[in-house]
Amino acid sequence: SLYAHLQRLSFSYYDKVRTGELMSRLTGDVEALRVFFSDGILNLYECALTLVVVMVILLKMNTKLTLLCLSMSPFLAWVVFRFDSQIRPAYSHIRRQNASLSAVVQENIAGVRVVKAFARERHEIDKFARENEKLWERVVYSADVRATYIPIMDLLSGFSSVAVLWYGGYQVIQGNLTLGSFVAFNSYIWSLIWPIRRLGHLVNLLEQALAAAERLFEILDTQPAIASPAGAVSRKVRGKVEFRNVNLHYGSADVLQDINLVVEPGTTVAIVGATGSGKTSLVNLIPRFYDVTGGQVLVDDVDVRDWDLGALRKHIGIALQETFLFSMPVGDNIAFGRQDASQTDIEAAAQAAQAHAFISDLPEGYDTFVGERGIGLSGGQRQRVAIARALLTDPRILILDDATSSVDMETEHRIQIALRSIMQGRTTFIIAHRLATVKDADIILVMENGRIVAQGTHDSLLLTSAIYNDIYQEQYREQERLRDLVQATGTTGGGVVG
């Protein structure tokens, strides 16, 4: 249930939590609950049943001795209450600190290449040692609490048996109780004391489980910020996209402001602008990764908040800015969004993304396993696999978020040529820093500080947008000057033009 719930939580939830903390809850906290339900709860039922049955037998045998045996119960209850009030916070602190330690380990392993590149191994070791020391302190404190209260519980139960021996022996001497009855009563007493002595262990297990359950229900009680509404629209997408007075806030920051745009099916839209201008935030609203804080985003004239999420996203192909591949064969990564794809379909998508050649050169071709996050491939290769994955779903809306930033210009040019035919009839959004990638788009949006400050074709923006003109001049002026020089002199330029 926990794992399934994590699949339903929205992007905004994962923006705030650390992977290591979630892993700690999925493993350590779930294990604490498992131990209690597989061992502790059975012992609890056994102890409770034993106490009730033995109590009835003892009361029938000798009421006075039974009441004397129970005389320590109020003190025992007070000790259990004190133990409970101290051990539960202790276990909660242990759980939280263990999650912090897991997060440190996870981040270090995921970023081990950066750590080694900057020779920060000692710093990372020291950071781990500090977190580990905090965990050790919390564990020792919980051990101190147990070492204080559990022996007291045993001592109080021991006093009960001593009192019974003293008073029962006196009654035997006085002739008020037969020796046989006393021996039988004393035998039953141990059946009463044993559950009481087990009480400390059971409370210990219970509090560990409660501390773990509290952290697990923090996740389970978190409602997905984005979910399909009742009676959601579920049909084939044509590809019309519209932004009406869209605003988006992250906390107190205005990420998008007053966005108005209508994109007809089959249109190619390019988005350019400086880092942090809101390009990725804009396209993230189309598959409803986030909800607008003002205005509407519509697909085929239906607000995306009224669409069934599965139906909407099934018709949107995305190559994200941060390429992620799973630890499985390359072919399976490409087919991730379409499990029924044939090998021919997979190879066709790879060819369109200019990935077929390098995949064929891998040791086992499309069956070659890639490492965690695709570590066995270069950045450009991972991006081409991600593009192939997006194309294979045959989407009506295609989003390429800086999807060719890690490939060389020659490969990027080949990808552009292949995409031109693929983009026919699809609504395509392209985010790129190189104008060569976007200059042939039907509409080019220029963004600055979360606003669309200019839009038009490449040629019109060169005349009307100073920002676009600056980008163009920076990227092309020197290259065109060198090209003109080469054409005029007939020299090669020593490879500079290439």
Side-chain angles (χ1 to χ4, degrees), residues 28-87:
D29 291 342
V30 170
E31 175 65 9
L33 278 180
R34 186 199 66 78
V35 169
F36 177 71
F37 279 105
S38 63
D39 181 31
I41 201 166
L42 294 176
N43 277 306
L44 190 62
Y45 279 126
E46 184 181 0
C47 289
L49 183 61
T50 303
L51 276 172
V52 172
V53 172
V54 171
M55 191 75 65
V56 171
I57 293 172
L58 291 179
L59 285 171
K60 287 185 176 181
M61 290 181 66
N62 192 305
T63 303
K64 290 183 179 179
L65 278 177
T66 302
L67 294 177
L68 180 62
C69 180
L70 296 176
S71 61
M72 292 295 167
S73 295
F75 302 101
L76 185 61
W78 180 82
V79 171
V80 170
F81 174 78
R82 292 284 299 173
F83 177 54
D84 179 77
S85 65
Q86 294 186 33
I87 200 65

Short mmCIF file of all heavy atoms in Angstrom, two decimals, residues 28-87:
data_model
loop_
_atom_site.label_atom_id
_atom_site.label_comp_id
_atom_site.label_asym_id
_atom_site.label_seq_id
_atom_site.Cartn_x
_atom_site.Cartn_y
_atom_site.Cartn_z
N GLY A 28 13.12 0.14 6.95
CA GLY A 28 13.22 0.05 8.40
C GLY A 28 11.89 0.18 9.12
O GLY A 28 11.57 -0.62 10.02
N ASP A 29 11.07 1.16 8.73
CA ASP A 29 9.80 1.37 9.42
C ASP A 29 8.81 0.25 9.13
O ASP A 29 8.07 -0.19 10.01
CB ASP A 29 9.21 2.72 9.02
CG ASP A 29 10.02 3.88 9.57
OD1 ASP A 29 10.79 3.66 10.53
OD2 ASP A 29 9.90 5.01 9.06
N VAL A 30 8.78 -0.19 7.88
CA VAL A 30 7.90 -1.31 7.55
C VAL A 30 8.34 -2.57 8.29
O VAL A 30 7.52 -3.35 8.77
CB VAL A 30 7.88 -1.55 6.03
CG1 VAL A 30 7.18 -2.85 5.69
CG2 VAL A 30 7.20 -0.39 5.32
N GLU A 31 9.66 -2.75 8.43
CA GLU A 31 10.17 -3.93 9.15
C GLU A 31 9.77 -3.89 10.62
O GLU A 31 9.44 -4.93 11.21
CB GLU A 31 11.70 -3.98 9.02
CG GLU A 31 12.38 -5.07 9.82
CD GLU A 31 12.03 -6.47 9.36
OE1 GLU A 31 11.38 -6.61 8.29
OE2 GLU A 31 12.40 -7.43 10.05
N ALA A 32 9.79 -2.71 11.25
CA ALA A 32 9.38 -2.60 12.65
C ALA A 32 7.92 -3.02 12.82
O ALA A 32 7.57 -3.70 13.79
CB ALA A 32 9.58 -1.17 13.14
N LEU A 33 7.08 -2.63 11.89
CA LEU A 33 5.68 -3.05 11.94
C LEU A 33 5.55 -4.56 11.71
O LEU A 33 4.75 -5.23 12.37
CB LEU A 33 4.87 -2.31 10.88
CG LEU A 33 4.40 -0.89 11.23
CD1 LEU A 33 3.61 -0.30 10.09
CD2 LEU A 33 3.55 -0.89 12.49
N ARG A 34 6.34 -5.07 10.78
CA ARG A 34 6.29 -6.51 10.50
C ARG A 34 6.65 -7.32 11.74
O ARG A 34 5.99 -8.31 12.07
CB ARG A 34 7.24 -6.87 9.36
CG ARG A 34 7.11 -8.34 8.93
CD ARG A 34 8.33 -8.80 8.15
NE ARG A 34 9.52 -8.82 8.99
CZ ARG A 34 9.80 -9.77 9.88
NH1 ARG A 34 8.96 -10.77 10.08
NH2 ARG A 34 10.89 -9.72 10.61
N VAL A 35 7.70 -6.91 12.45
CA VAL A 35 8.13 -7.63 13.65
C VAL A 35 7.03 -7.62 14.70
O VAL A 35 6.75 -8.63 15.34
CB VAL A 35 9.42 -6.99 14.22
CG1 VAL A 35 9.73 -7.54 15.61
CG2 VAL A 35 10.60 -7.26 13.28
N PHE A 36 6.37 -6.47 14.87
CA PHE A 36 5.32 -6.40 15.88
C PHE A 36 4.14 -7.29 15.51
O PHE A 36 3.61 -8.02 16.34
CB PHE A 36 4.84 -4.96 16.06
CG PHE A 36 3.71 -4.83 17.02
CD1 PHE A 36 3.90 -5.01 18.38
CD2 PHE A 36 2.42 -4.56 16.56
CE1 PHE A 36 2.83 -4.91 19.27
CE2 PHE A 36 1.36 -4.45 17.44
CZ PHE A 36 1.57 -4.63 18.80
N PHE A 37 3.72 -7.25 14.25
CA PHE A 37 2.54 -8.02 13.85
C PHE A 37 2.83 -9.51 13.73
O PHE A 37 1.93 -10.33 13.89
CB PHE A 37 1.98 -7.49 12.53
CG PHE A 37 1.12 -6.27 12.71
CD1 PHE A 37 1.60 -5.01 12.36
CD2 PHE A 37 -0.14 -6.36 13.25
CE1 PHE A 37 0.82 -3.88 12.53
CE2 PHE A 37 -0.93 -5.24 13.43
CZ PHE A 37 -0.45 -4.00 13.07
N SER A 38 4.07 -9.88 13.44
CA SER A 38 4.39 -11.30 13.31
C SER A 38 4.82 -11.94 14.63
O SER A 38 4.72 -13.15 14.79
CB SER A 38 5.50 -11.50 12.27
OG SER A 38 6.70 -10.88 12.71
N ASP A 39 5.29 -11.13 15.57
CA ASP A 39 5.79 -11.67 16.84
C ASP A 39 5.11 -11.01 18.03
O ASP A 39 4.50 -11.66 18.87
CB ASP A 39 7.31 -11.47 16.90
CG ASP A 39 7.90 -12.02 18.20
OD1 ASP A 39 7.34 -13.00 18.72
OD2 ASP A 39 8.91 -11.47 18.67
N GLY A 40 5.19 -9.70 18.10
CA GLY A 40 4.69 -8.98 19.27
C GLY A 40 3.21 -9.14 19.51
O GLY A 40 2.78 -9.40 20.64
N ILE A 41 2.40 -9.04 18.47
CA ILE A 41 0.96 -9.09 18.68
C ILE A 41 0.51 -10.49 19.11
O ILE A 41 -0.43 -10.64 19.89
CB ILE A 41 0.22 -8.63 17.40
CG1 ILE A 41 -1.19 -8.18 17.77
CG2 ILE A 41 0.19 -9.72 16.33
CD1 ILE A 41 -1.87 -7.40 16.66
N LEU A 42 1.20 -11.54 18.64
CA LEU A 42 0.87 -12.90 19.08
C LEU A 42 1.19 -13.07 20.56
O LEU A 42 0.42 -13.65 21.32
CB LEU A 42 1.65 -13.92 18.24
CG LEU A 42 1.26 -14.00 16.76
CD1 LEU A 42 2.17 -14.97 16.03
CD2 LEU A 42 -0.19 -14.42 16.61
N ASN A 43 2.35 -12.56 20.96
CA ASN A 43 2.73 -12.61 22.38
C ASN A 43 1.76 -11.82 23.23
O ASN A 43 1.45 -12.19 24.37
CB ASN A 43 4.15 -12.08 22.57
CG ASN A 43 5.20 -13.13 22.28
OD1 ASN A 43 5.18 -14.22 22.84
ND2 ASN A 43 6.11 -12.81 21.38
N LEU A 44 1.30 -10.69 22.69
CA LEU A 44 0.36 -9.86 23.43
C LEU A 44 -0.95 -10.60 23.69
O LEU A 44 -1.47 -10.61 24.81
CB LEU A 44 0.10 -8.57 22.64
CG LEU A 44 -0.67 -7.46 23.36
CD1 LEU A 44 0.08 -6.98 24.58
CD2 LEU A 44 -0.94 -6.31 22.41
N TYR A 45 -1.47 -11.25 22.66
CA TYR A 45 -2.69 -12.04 22.83
C TYR A 45 -2.47 -13.19 23.81
O TYR A 45 -3.32 -13.49 24.66
CB TYR A 45 -3.15 -12.59 21.48
CG TYR A 45 -3.92 -11.59 20.64
CD1 TYR A 45 -3.53 -11.30 19.34
CD2 TYR A 45 -5.05 -10.95 21.15
CE1 TYR A 45 -4.24 -10.39 18.56
CE2 TYR A 45 -5.76 -10.03 20.38
CZ TYR A 45 -5.34 -9.76 19.09
OH TYR A 45 -6.04 -8.86 18.34
N GLU A 46 -1.31 -13.84 23.67
CA GLU A 46 -1.01 -14.97 24.55
C GLU A 46 -0.94 -14.53 26.00
O GLU A 46 -1.50 -15.17 26.90
CB GLU A 46 0.31 -15.62 24.12
CG GLU A 46 0.67 -16.86 24.91
CD GLU A 46 1.99 -17.46 24.47
OE1 GLU A 46 2.61 -16.90 23.54
OE2 GLU A 46 2.40 -18.48 25.06
N CYS A 47 -0.26 -13.42 26.24
CA CYS A 47 -0.11 -12.91 27.61
C CYS A 47 -1.47 -12.49 28.18
O CYS A 47 -1.79 -12.78 29.35
CB CYS A 47 0.84 -11.73 27.64
SG CYS A 47 2.57 -12.18 27.36
N ALA A 48 -2.27 -11.80 27.37
CA ALA A 48 -3.57 -11.35 27.84
C ALA A 48 -4.47 -12.53 28.18
O ALA A 48 -5.14 -12.54 29.24
CB ALA A 48 -4.23 -10.47 26.77
N LEU A 49 -4.47 -13.54 27.31
CA LEU A 49 -5.30 -14.72 27.56
C LEU A 49 -4.84 -15.46 28.80
O LEU A 49 -5.67 -15.89 29.64
CB LEU A 49 -5.26 -15.64 26.33
CG LEU A 49 -6.14 -16.89 26.40
CD1 LEU A 49 -7.61 -16.50 26.53
CD2 LEU A 49 -5.93 -17.75 25.16
N THR A 50 -3.54 -15.60 28.94
CA THR A 50 -2.98 -16.29 30.12
C THR A 50 -3.35 -15.55 31.40
O THR A 50 -3.74 -16.17 32.41
CB THR A 50 -1.45 -16.41 30.00
OG1 THR A 50 -1.13 -17.11 28.80
CG2 THR A 50 -0.86 -17.15 31.19
N LEU A 51 -3.21 -14.22 31.40
CA LEU A 51 -3.54 -13.42 32.58
C LEU A 51 -5.00 -13.62 32.99
O LEU A 51 -5.30 -13.81 34.18
CB LEU A 51 -3.27 -11.94 32.29
CG LEU A 51 -1.84 -11.44 32.45
CD1 LEU A 51 -1.70 -10.02 31.94
CD2 LEU A 51 -1.42 -11.50 33.93
N VAL A 52 -5.90 -13.56 32.03
CA VAL A 52 -7.33 -13.67 32.34
C VAL A 52 -7.66 -15.05 32.91
O VAL A 52 -8.32 -15.18 33.96
CB VAL A 52 -8.18 -13.38 31.09
CG1 VAL A 52 -9.65 -13.69 31.36
CG2 VAL A 52 -8.01 -11.93 30.66
N VAL A 53 -7.20 -16.09 32.24
CA VAL A 53 -7.52 -17.47 32.67
C VAL A 53 -6.93 -17.76 34.04
O VAL A 53 -7.61 -18.28 34.95
CB VAL A 53 -7.02 -18.49 31.63
CG1 VAL A 53 -7.18 -19.91 32.16
CG2 VAL A 53 -7.77 -18.32 30.31
N VAL A 54 -5.64 -17.42 34.22
CA VAL A 54 -4.97 -17.70 35.50
C VAL A 54 -5.60 -16.87 36.62
O VAL A 54 -5.74 -17.35 37.75
CB VAL A 54 -3.46 -17.42 35.38
CG1 VAL A 54 -2.78 -17.49 36.74
CG2 VAL A 54 -2.82 -18.41 34.41
N MET A 55 -5.98 -15.63 36.30
CA MET A 55 -6.60 -14.79 37.32
C MET A 55 -7.90 -15.41 37.83
O MET A 55 -8.17 -15.44 39.05
CB MET A 55 -6.90 -13.41 36.73
CG MET A 55 -7.30 -12.38 37.77
SD MET A 55 -5.88 -11.83 38.72
CE MET A 55 -4.95 -11.02 37.46
N VAL A 56 -8.72 -15.93 36.93
CA VAL A 56 -9.98 -16.56 37.33
C VAL A 56 -9.70 -17.78 38.22
O VAL A 56 -10.34 -17.98 39.26
CB VAL A 56 -10.79 -16.97 36.08
CG1 VAL A 56 -11.99 -17.83 36.48
CG2 VAL A 56 -11.25 -15.73 35.32
N ILE A 57 -8.71 -18.60 37.83
CA ILE A 57 -8.37 -19.81 38.60
C ILE A 57 -7.88 -19.43 39.99
O ILE A 57 -8.29 -20.01 41.01
CB ILE A 57 -7.30 -20.64 37.86
CG1 ILE A 57 -7.89 -21.21 36.56
CG2 ILE A 57 -6.79 -21.76 38.74
CD1 ILE A 57 -6.85 -21.89 35.67
N LEU A 58 -6.98 -18.42 40.07
CA LEU A 58 -6.41 -18.02 41.36
C LEU A 58 -7.48 -17.44 42.29
O LEU A 58 -7.46 -17.68 43.50
CB LEU A 58 -5.29 -17.01 41.13
CG LEU A 58 -4.01 -17.55 40.48
CD1 LEU A 58 -3.00 -16.43 40.30
CD2 LEU A 58 -3.40 -18.68 41.32
N LEU A 59 -8.40 -16.64 41.73
CA LEU A 59 -9.46 -16.06 42.57
C LEU A 59 -10.35 -17.15 43.15
O LEU A 59 -10.83 -17.04 44.29
CB LEU A 59 -10.30 -15.07 41.74
CG LEU A 59 -9.64 -13.72 41.44
CD1 LEU A 59 -10.46 -12.93 40.45
CD2 LEU A 59 -9.45 -12.91 42.73
N LYS A 60 -10.59 -18.21 42.40
CA LYS A 60 -11.39 -19.32 42.91
C LYS A 60 -10.63 -20.10 43.97
O LYS A 60 -11.22 -20.61 44.93
CB LYS A 60 -11.80 -20.24 41.75
CG LYS A 60 -12.88 -19.65 40.85
CD LYS A 60 -13.34 -20.66 39.81
CE LYS A 60 -14.49 -20.09 38.98
NZ LYS A 60 -14.97 -21.08 37.97
N MET A 61 -9.29 -20.21 43.81
CA MET A 61 -8.48 -20.99 44.75
C MET A 61 -8.32 -20.26 46.08
O MET A 61 -8.52 -20.83 47.15
CB MET A 61 -7.11 -21.29 44.15
CG MET A 61 -7.14 -22.28 42.99
SD MET A 61 -5.50 -22.62 42.34
CE MET A 61 -4.76 -23.46 43.75
N ASN A 62 -7.94 -18.94 46.01
CA ASN A 62 -7.71 -18.19 47.25
C ASN A 62 -7.74 -16.71 46.93
O ASN A 62 -6.79 -16.16 46.34
CB ASN A 62 -6.36 -18.57 47.86
CG ASN A 62 -6.22 -18.05 49.29
OD1 ASN A 62 -6.37 -16.86 49.54
ND2 ASN A 62 -5.91 -18.95 50.21
N THR A 63 -8.80 -16.04 47.34
CA THR A 63 -8.99 -14.64 46.98
C THR A 63 -7.95 -13.73 47.63
O THR A 63 -7.40 -12.82 46.99
CB THR A 63 -10.39 -14.17 47.38
OG1 THR A 63 -11.37 -15.01 46.76
CG2 THR A 63 -10.64 -12.72 46.95
N LYS A 64 -7.63 -13.99 48.90
CA LYS A 64 -6.69 -13.12 49.61
C LYS A 64 -5.30 -13.19 48.99
O LYS A 64 -4.64 -12.16 48.80
CB LYS A 64 -6.63 -13.51 51.09
CG LYS A 64 -7.89 -13.18 51.87
CD LYS A 64 -7.73 -13.53 53.34
CE LYS A 64 -8.98 -13.17 54.14
NZ LYS A 64 -8.83 -13.52 55.58
N LEU A 65 -4.83 -14.40 48.73
CA LEU A 65 -3.50 -14.54 48.12
C LEU A 65 -3.47 -13.87 46.73
O LEU A 65 -2.46 -13.26 46.34
CB LEU A 65 -3.13 -16.01 47.99
CG LEU A 65 -2.55 -16.69 49.23
CD1 LEU A 65 -2.29 -18.17 48.96
CD2 LEU A 65 -1.26 -15.99 49.66
N THR A 66 -4.57 -13.98 46.00
CA THR A 66 -4.61 -13.38 44.67
C THR A 66 -4.52 -11.86 44.75
O THR A 66 -3.78 -11.22 44.00
CB THR A 66 -5.90 -13.78 43.94
OG1 THR A 66 -5.98 -15.21 43.86
CG2 THR A 66 -5.94 -13.20 42.54
N LEU A 67 -5.28 -11.27 45.69
CA LEU A 67 -5.24 -9.81 45.85
C LEU A 67 -3.86 -9.35 46.30
O LEU A 67 -3.38 -8.28 45.88
CB LEU A 67 -6.32 -9.36 46.83
CG LEU A 67 -7.77 -9.57 46.38
CD1 LEU A 67 -8.73 -9.15 47.49
CD2 LEU A 67 -8.04 -8.77 45.11
N LEU A 68 -3.23 -10.15 47.17
CA LEU A 68 -1.87 -9.81 47.61
C LEU A 68 -0.91 -9.86 46.42
O LEU A 68 -0.02 -9.01 46.29
CB LEU A 68 -1.41 -10.80 48.70
CG LEU A 68 0.00 -10.57 49.26
CD1 LEU A 68 0.08 -9.20 49.93
CD2 LEU A 68 0.37 -11.67 50.23
N CYS A 69 -1.10 -10.84 45.56
CA CYS A 69 -0.24 -10.97 44.37
C CYS A 69 -0.40 -9.75 43.46
O CYS A 69 0.57 -9.32 42.82
CB CYS A 69 -0.61 -12.25 43.63
SG CYS A 69 0.37 -12.54 42.14
N LEU A 70 -1.62 -9.21 43.43
CA LEU A 70 -1.89 -8.07 42.54
C LEU A 70 -1.61 -6.73 43.21
O LEU A 70 -1.84 -5.69 42.60
CB LEU A 70 -3.34 -8.11 42.09
CG LEU A 70 -3.76 -9.33 41.23
CD1 LEU A 70 -5.25 -9.27 40.95
CD2 LEU A 70 -2.96 -9.35 39.93
N SER A 71 -1.12 -6.76 44.44
CA SER A 71 -0.92 -5.50 45.18
C SER A 71 0.11 -4.59 44.51
O SER A 71 0.09 -3.36 44.71
CB SER A 71 -0.48 -5.81 46.62
OG SER A 71 0.76 -6.52 46.62
N MET A 72 1.03 -5.17 43.72
CA MET A 72 2.05 -4.37 43.06
C MET A 72 1.58 -3.83 41.70
O MET A 72 2.31 -3.08 41.05
CB MET A 72 3.32 -5.20 42.85
CG MET A 72 4.03 -5.55 44.15
SD MET A 72 4.65 -4.04 44.92
CE MET A 72 5.07 -4.65 46.56
N SER A 73 0.38 -4.20 41.31
CA SER A 73 -0.10 -3.80 39.98
C SER A 73 -0.18 -2.29 39.79
O SER A 73 0.21 -1.78 38.73
CB SER A 73 -1.47 -4.43 39.71
OG SER A 73 -1.36 -5.84 39.66
N PRO A 74 -0.68 -1.50 40.77
CA PRO A 74 -0.70 -0.05 40.56
C PRO A 74 0.69 0.54 40.32
O PRO A 74 0.87 1.41 39.47
CB PRO A 74 -1.32 0.49 41.85
CG PRO A 74 -2.11 -0.66 42.39
CD PRO A 74 -1.35 -1.88 42.04
N PHE A 75 1.67 0.03 41.10
CA PHE A 75 3.05 0.52 40.91
C PHE A 75 3.59 0.09 39.54
O PHE A 75 4.28 0.86 38.86
CB PHE A 75 3.95 -0.02 42.02
CG PHE A 75 3.50 0.34 43.40
CD1 PHE A 75 2.81 -0.58 44.19
CD2 PHE A 75 3.72 1.61 43.91
CE1 PHE A 75 2.38 -0.25 45.46
CE2 PHE A 75 3.30 1.95 45.19
CZ PHE A 75 2.62 1.02 45.97
N LEU A 76 3.25 -1.14 39.17
CA LEU A 76 3.70 -1.64 37.87
C LEU A 76 3.08 -0.81 36.74
O LEU A 76 3.75 -0.48 35.76
CB LEU A 76 3.32 -3.11 37.73
CG LEU A 76 3.82 -3.83 36.47
CD1 LEU A 76 5.34 -3.84 36.44
CD2 LEU A 76 3.29 -5.26 36.42
N ALA A 77 1.81 -0.47 36.87
CA ALA A 77 1.14 0.33 35.85
C ALA A 77 1.79 1.71 35.73
O ALA A 77 1.97 2.23 34.61
CB ALA A 77 -0.35 0.47 36.18
N TRP A 78 2.17 2.29 36.86
CA TRP A 78 2.83 3.61 36.83
C TRP A 78 4.18 3.53 36.12
O TRP A 78 4.53 4.41 35.33
CB TRP A 78 2.99 4.11 38.27
CG TRP A 78 3.66 5.47 38.34
CD1 TRP A 78 3.06 6.69 38.18
CD2 TRP A 78 5.04 5.72 38.58
NE1 TRP A 78 3.98 7.69 38.31
CE2 TRP A 78 5.23 7.12 38.55
CE3 TRP A 78 6.16 4.91 38.82
CZ2 TRP A 78 6.46 7.73 38.74
CZ3 TRP A 78 7.38 5.52 39.01
CH2 TRP A 78 7.54 6.90 38.97
N VAL A 79 4.94 2.46 36.42
CA VAL A 79 6.24 2.28 35.77
C VAL A 79 6.08 2.09 34.27
O VAL A 79 6.83 2.66 33.47
CB VAL A 79 6.98 1.07 36.40
CG1 VAL A 79 8.24 0.74 35.59
CG2 VAL A 79 7.35 1.35 37.84
N VAL A 80 5.08 1.30 33.87
CA VAL A 80 4.83 1.09 32.44
C VAL A 80 4.48 2.41 31.76
O VAL A 80 4.95 2.71 30.65
CB VAL A 80 3.71 0.06 32.23
CG1 VAL A 80 3.27 0.02 30.76
CG2 VAL A 80 4.16 -1.32 32.67
N PHE A 81 3.66 3.22 32.45
CA PHE A 81 3.29 4.52 31.89
C PHE A 81 4.53 5.40 31.71
O PHE A 81 4.69 6.05 30.66
CB PHE A 81 2.27 5.21 32.80
CG PHE A 81 1.95 6.62 32.39
CD1 PHE A 81 1.09 6.87 31.32
CD2 PHE A 81 2.52 7.69 33.07
CE1 PHE A 81 0.82 8.18 30.95
CE2 PHE A 81 2.26 8.99 32.69
CZ PHE A 81 1.39 9.25 31.63
N ARG A 82 5.40 5.44 32.70
CA ARG A 82 6.62 6.24 32.61
C ARG A 82 7.53 5.72 31.49
O ARG A 82 8.11 6.49 30.72
CB ARG A 82 7.36 6.20 33.95
CG ARG A 82 6.65 6.90 35.09
CD ARG A 82 6.78 8.41 34.98
NE ARG A 82 8.19 8.82 35.03
CZ ARG A 82 8.61 10.06 34.81
NH1 ARG A 82 7.73 10.99 34.49
NH2 ARG A 82 9.89 10.36 34.91
N PHE A 83 7.63 4.42 31.41
CA PHE A 83 8.46 3.79 30.37
C PHE A 83 7.93 4.16 28.99
O PHE A 83 8.68 4.56 28.10
CB PHE A 83 8.45 2.28 30.58
CG PHE A 83 9.22 1.51 29.53
CD1 PHE A 83 10.53 1.81 29.23
CD2 PHE A 83 8.60 0.48 28.83
CE1 PHE A 83 11.24 1.11 28.27
CE2 PHE A 83 9.30 -0.24 27.87
CZ PHE A 83 10.61 0.07 27.59
N ASP A 84 6.61 4.07 28.85
CA ASP A 84 5.99 4.37 27.56
C ASP A 84 6.21 5.83 27.17
O ASP A 84 6.49 6.14 26.00
CB ASP A 84 4.49 4.07 27.65
CG ASP A 84 3.76 4.37 26.36
OD1 ASP A 84 3.86 3.56 25.42
OD2 ASP A 84 3.11 5.43 26.29
N SER A 85 6.08 6.75 28.12
CA SER A 85 6.21 8.17 27.82
C SER A 85 7.62 8.56 27.39
O SER A 85 7.82 9.57 26.71
CB SER A 85 5.79 9.02 29.03
OG SER A 85 6.68 8.80 30.12
N GLN A 86 8.63 7.78 27.80
CA GLN A 86 10.01 8.09 27.44
C GLN A 86 10.51 7.29 26.24
O GLN A 86 11.31 7.79 25.44
CB GLN A 86 10.93 7.84 28.64
CG GLN A 86 10.69 8.78 29.80
CD GLN A 86 11.71 8.60 30.91
OE1 GLN A 86 12.87 8.29 30.65
NE2 GLN A 86 11.27 8.81 32.15
N ILE A 87 10.04 6.05 26.09
CA ILE A 87 10.61 5.22 25.03
C ILE A 87 10.03 5.57 23.66
O ILE A 87 10.72 5.46 22.65
CB ILE A 87 10.40 3.71 25.34
CG1 ILE A 87 11.38 2.86 24.54
CG2 ILE A 87 8.97 3.30 25.07
CD1 ILE A 87 12.82 3.04 24.88
#
